Amino acid sequence: MVVLGRPKAVGVARRRHRLCYQQWKEEGIAPQVVFEILSPRNTQTEMDKKLLFYDRYGVEEYYIYDPDRNNLRGWLRGEDGLDVIPQMEDWVSPRLKVRFALSTEGLQLYRPDGERFLTYTEISHNAEQERQRAELAEQARRDAIPRLLQMDLSIEQIAQALGLSVEEVRTFAQE
């Protein structure tokens, strides 16, 4: 769910994350946008009750995605409550400006700038690649220290050239 106008965390120092959103404790501010991802255990009765609940409590946009059927349904608040969005293909959320597109791979979401949101797998893969690059760069800096020492550079000069602290250069030089 997306709730604009409320802090991300709660508690004395706003350090605790919410376990659930309780509108009556949030100055009555309803979530503006709610997304539901169906699982095989969801029943039609359960989803009908959720739709009525979100309609009653002022949600502006409500979306249900069934990954097993690659089916997206949506509702948008009108004068009389939540109205069905008849055509969801390439729908753009009025509130978030996010575009929904169904493809053979499933639901794709696009940012307001047109870039596709990455999947969890893609984000994890990118993070792993970045971690490996950082390790290689760190190893290259460590490997450069003995060579730079042989060139009669001072520890301070090496630290500055490699973007390390003097202590780090001393530690690596002793290894």
Side-chain angles (χ1 to χ4, degrees):
M1 70 176 55
V2 176
V3 186
L4 304 171
R6 297 304 304 145
K8 290 182 182 181
V10 295
V12 177
R14 298 212 187 274
R15 292 187 182 147
R16 289 189 339 221
H17 292 285
R18 290 177 185 81
L19 298 177
C20 62
Y21 188 82
Q22 298 171 328
Q23 188 171 334
W24 64 92
K25 291 184 178 180
E26 302 288 349
E27 298 180 18
I29 296 175
Q32 288 89 12
V33 183
V34 174
F35 299 91
E36 298 272 2
I37 308 298
L38 294 183
S39 72
R41 292 181 302 212
N42 290 116
T43 65
Q44 188 60 51
T45 301
E46 172 191 9
M47 299 316 295
D48 290 344
K49 285 181 181 179
K50 285 184 175 191
L51 176 60
L52 288 172
F53 175 86
Y54 290 127
D55 187 25
R56 181 177 301 132
Y57 288 100
V59 167
E60 296 173 19
E61 301 174 39
Y62 181 53
Y63 302 99
I64 299 176
Y65 178 62
D66 182 346
D68 291 338
R69 293 186 177 94
N70 194 25
N71 182 38
L72 176 66
R73 295 181 295 154
W75 292 262
L76 182 64
R77 182 154 300 279
E79 289 181 17
D80 298 322
L82 288 173
D83 297 326
V84 171
I85 301 168
Q87 175 57 28
M88 287 301 302
E89 182 59 33
D90 286 327
W91 171 258
V92 176
S93 159
R95 173 61 85 156
L96 303 177
K97 308 299 184 230
V98 170
R99 182 171 62 88
F100 301 87
L102 291 168
S103 71
T104 55
E105 292 89 39
L107 178 62
Q108 305 287 318
L109 299 178
Y110 291 85
R111 301 172 185 273
D113 65 5
E115 290 292 318
R116 184 177 59 81
F117 280 95
L118 298 178
T119 65
Y120 175 79
T121 303
E122 291 168 329
I123 291 169
S124 297
H125 179 73
N126 290 352
E128 177 59 22
Q129 284 184 325
E130 184 55 38
R131 186 192 64 74
Q132 289 174 356
R133 274 194 293 272
E135 282 181 6
L136 288 173
E138 182 66 22
Q139 189 59 49
R141 291 193 313 192
R142 288 180 186 177
D143 293 346
I145 292 171
R147 289 186 302 233
L148 294 171
L149 286 170
Q150 288 175 351
M151 297 171 64
D152 291 328
L153 291 172
S154 71
I155 288 180
E156 291 79 12
Q157 289 171 318
I158 295 170
Q160 184 177 7
L162 298 178
L164 298 170
S165 70
V166 171
E167 294 78 27
E168 288 174 308
V169 173
R170 282 193 179 113
T171 300
F172 295 145
Q174 294 171 356
E175 290 180 353

